[in-house]
Amino acid sequence: MAPKVDFKREMKPFFHAPVGQFVEVDLPCMRFVMVDGAGDPNTAEAYQVALHWLYPISFGMKFLSKVEAGRDYVVPPLEGLWWAEDPQDFVRRNKAAWHWTMMIMVPEFVSAQMFDQAREKAADKLGLPPPPTLRLEEMREGRCLQTLHIGSYDAEGPTLARLHDEIMPELGLTFNGPHHEIYLGDPRRVAPERLKTLLRQPVRPL
């Protein structure tokens, strides 16, 4: 069996950035298991439903890959795409106006059939039909700016405002996709002031 793959190490530039400093990366096409939703993630039932499906499916695919393909890997961290009709609603943390896609990366060696099998097993375990937006999908963000944020999610506002109002205009860049977060800390185990979150913004020239 091949060694277990840890994508945070194998693809280190895509999971690391300095604190408070935005660096540029060029993201290739990647695959994710995704679920869409809207509303405050702290109170919206749809958000909890999304997580309840993403994790068992991701670990189910990991198990099937190990058993059927001899390829084991560390399940990558949870990620989220976030946007609002008014971008200021995100900076101001007006969470009721947010839309989101929660997702976990899926290695290229995991087949669509494995995804289908993992989804069926999760449905049996949860005793519920899957969310209608649950899917395996490719995404290519391309050119992005990213930084590491340490602290609570609600403390991201000033960093995002600096990116939107200063850094991007100075570089002659504009938005090319929704705000992207990668959760490198578990809020169930880590104090809010110690949480690590990679903040990413796809960009393009004005």
Side-chain angles (χ1 to χ4, degrees):
M1 180 178 293
K4 181 185 291 189
V5 179
D6 185 344
F7 291 97
K8 286 197 294 183
R9 293 181 181 178
E10 296 289 328
M11 307 171 71
K12 187 173 181 178
F14 303 149
F15 289 96
H16 291 76
V19 177
Q21 178 184 347
F22 282 89
V23 295
E24 186 172 318
V25 292
D26 188 4
L27 277 294
C29 185
M30 302 164 73
R31 288 196 307 160
F32 297 86
V33 54
M34 299 176 165
V35 179
D36 301 329
D40 185 340
N42 295 313
T43 58
E45 182 181 356
Y47 184 83
Q48 295 304 319
V49 170
L51 300 193
H52 287 162
W53 279 88
L54 287 174
Y55 282 109
I57 288 178
S58 295
F59 280 95
M61 288 187 289
K62 165 188 163 67
F63 174 78
L64 289 167
S65 176
K66 181 178 180 179
V67 171
E68 298 182 8
R71 302 287 299 273
D72 195 9
Y73 62 95
V74 178
V75 172
L78 179 70
E79 306 187 29
L81 305 178
W82 301 87
W83 69 97
E85 298 299 327
D86 180 355
Q88 288 302 312
D89 280 327
F90 194 78
V91 175
R92 290 193 298 257
R93 318 307 284 175
N94 182 17
K95 300 176 184 178
W98 292 0
H99 299 264
W100 41 263
T101 297
M102 304 311 297
M103 57 194 198
I104 296 177
M105 195 181 85
V106 179
E108 54 85 21
F109 52 78
V110 171
S111 68
Q113 182 180 8
M114 291 177 187
F115 168 73
D116 291 338
Q117 289 177 264
R119 180 182 56 196
E120 291 173 6
K121 185 174 181 179
D124 290 340
K125 180 179 179 180
L126 296 172
L128 296 168
T133 61
L134 177 68
R135 63 198 184 278
L136 183 64
E137 185 173 291
E138 292 185 342
M139 182 180 75
R140 188 185 190 284
E141 290 179 295
R143 187 181 183 186
C144 297
L145 297 177
Q146 64 184 32
T147 188
L148 181 65
H149 170 76
I150 299 180
S152 72
Y153 304 134
D154 286 334
E156 295 173 6
T159 299
L160 296 177
R162 183 165 61 90
L163 172 66
H164 300 168
D165 301 337
E166 300 176 22
I167 296 173
M168 288 170 58
E170 288 174 2
L171 296 173
L173 300 172
T174 190
F175 300 93
N176 194 34
H179 171 74
H180 187 164
E181 297 188 351
I182 302 176
Y183 304 102
L184 304 176
D186 186 341
R188 298 170 300 177
R189 299 185 175 92
V190 179
E193 65 272 14
R194 296 177 59 194
L195 285 170
K196 294 182 179 181
T197 308
L198 194 72
L199 307 181
R200 176 182 295 162
Q201 179 59 57
V203 294
R204 60 176 174 81
L206 285 167

